Amino acid sequence: MSDHEINKTRSFIKMLAPTANFDSVLSFYYDETNNIRKSYVGEMGFNSPVTANFVLGGLVHEGMAPDVAPLIKSFKLQKTTKEVKFKHIAKGSFLDCLKSNKLKLFLEFIESSNLYVHYSSINILYWAIVDIVDSAIANSEASQKLGPPFSEYLKDVLYKLSKLEIDSITEVFYYFKYPNIKKKDVSSFIEALTHIFKDYIDTEEFHFGLESLRQILKEAKKTNSLPFIMEGDDYIIEDFSEFYLRQIYLFKYSTHTFDNENSISRILNGYKILDKSIEIKNYSFVDSQTNQLIQLSDVFVGLMGKLTVYFNTSTKEKIDNDFCSLSMIQRANIDLLVDVIEKSHNKNIGFLHSIDGNEERSKMDVISQPLKTTQNIDL
């Protein structure tokens, strides 16, 4: 990546998130969950459950790192345990994980120390469909004038429909080798996609969004062009290396320590990341057994992965009902998680990055009034 590309992208993100501080000198530690390497569509559907977000994140601090040995000792793990993993701290569904006293110790430590949390959370299904909306809007001057809120609304509507009609959506994707639609197939792809709308387009929930998208896609048919889904590889939605790269060049004055991930390491080694003609060498891959902060990053990321599955598979009404019957330890842990995320948001909004629909994001409001003012950078 050239210095022009890096600084252009950083400037664009800074414009979208003017209160974020990407220039601090920080130490980031990473682990990931639900890392499927590449997201692709096969004959039987997506290569992984679309209910689980890919989450890359962990712990971050400024200055000296706190001594986490007392925390790890407090977990009272078996002496044969070589490193702390999320499975040692909590197990089961998200709500089951909240029953863990070890999780409470972990979250209390983060809350009271100079450690913060950071994450990139990628909803795979939402990520797969957003380029359809962007491609349609690229063909419509009227839609472009309505700005990002209109675009985000259409993406959310298409995402909700895709959840309900996941088999039909993936069948269309596979048939047309999405996201590499051939020019001769644009019209047929649009017809197949909008055919899925028919059972929903007259409902109150979906009517305005689906009808708007259907009309915009009609304009795309006239040009035989859906620009953002015509130049990819057959079936391959994308790999996740871009989210590792994003952290490296966005927080270019910080250091980034990743858990060993050979496939990602090979990809990153293929890039020469330049800033003012100087190569950026601010990251490393290490064995997690040698780094306790990476081990604790696995705990946080594991919990966030469970949370995304819970949100992606639960209605707001179900979440509300679930949270009315939490035990004391569950309530304490969810409050601590909310406090830790809010503490990190207040420190630097740039720590929180999400590619997800408003439908899923808004579920955090159900479990936490304070987080109604918390934002995630969506880029």
Side-chain angles (χ1 to χ4, degrees), residues 226-273:
L226 290 169
F228 305 122
I229 53 174
M230 297 179 71
E231 299 297 332
D233 297 321
D234 291 354
Y235 308 117
I236 304 297
I237 306 298
E238 193 54 86
D239 68 57
F240 294 127
S241 60
E242 67 177 84
F243 300 108
Y244 294 76
L245 278 169
R246 179 187 185 278
Q247 290 293 100
I248 290 167
Y249 67 70
L250 194 54
F251 291 93
K252 63 182 182 180
Y253 301 113
S254 298
T255 59
H256 304 271
T257 307
F258 298 99
D259 187 19
N260 271 342
E261 181 62 56
N262 291 334
S263 61
I264 297 295
S265 178
R266 285 194 297 270
I267 291 171
L268 295 192
N269 286 338
Y271 287 91
K272 191 170 185 179
I273 309 171

Side-chain angles (χ1 to χ4, degrees), residues 294-347:
I294 287 184
Q295 296 173 33
L296 294 175
S297 293
D298 180 77
V299 176
F300 173 69
V301 168
L303 182 61
M304 288 300 296
K306 296 282 188 179
L307 177 61
T308 66
V309 173
Y310 178 62
F311 280 168
N312 293 344
T313 57
S314 303
T315 63
K316 290 181 181 179
E317 291 74 22
K318 181 183 184 302
I319 295 170
D320 193 39
N321 289 333
D322 287 345
F323 274 66
C324 287
S325 57
L326 294 181
S327 66
M328 289 183 65
I329 182 66
Q330 286 175 306
R331 184 73 256 176
N333 275 329
I334 195 62
D335 287 345
L336 282 165
L337 177 60
V338 166
D339 289 345
V340 164
I341 293 175
E342 187 174 25
K343 168 193 171 184
S344 303
H345 167 268
N346 292 338
K347 175 68 174 178

Side-chain angles (χ1 to χ4, degrees), residues 139-170:
N139 288 283
S140 172
E141 291 185 13
S143 299
Q144 292 170 29
K145 292 176 182 177
L146 295 174
F150 180 63
S151 171
E152 295 302 312
Y153 170 70
L154 294 184
K155 291 173 184 177
D156 211 46
V157 168
L158 183 57
Y159 166 72
K160 288 190 288 185
L161 175 70
S162 299
K163 283 180 69 175
L164 294 171
E165 293 289 338
I166 187 63
D167 290 340
S168 298
I169 287 289
T170 52

Side-chain angles (χ1 to χ4, degrees), residues 2 75 96 142 191 193 219 240 302-303 318:
S2 69
F75 295 150
D96 288 333
E191 288 177 7
L193 180 66
E219 296 184 52
F240 294 127
L303 182 61
K318 181 183 184 302

Side-chain angles (χ1 to χ4, degrees), residues 27 36 207:
S27 298
I36 55 176
H207 176 70

Side-chain angles (χ1 to χ4, degrees), residues 10-11 41 82 133 157 163 177-178 198 220 230 241 341:
R10 290 182 89 247
S11 296
V41 182
K82 295 181 179 180
V133 175
V157 168
K163 283 180 69 175
K177 301 182 179 180
Y178 186 90
K198 63 183 178 63
M230 297 179 71
S241 60
I341 293 175

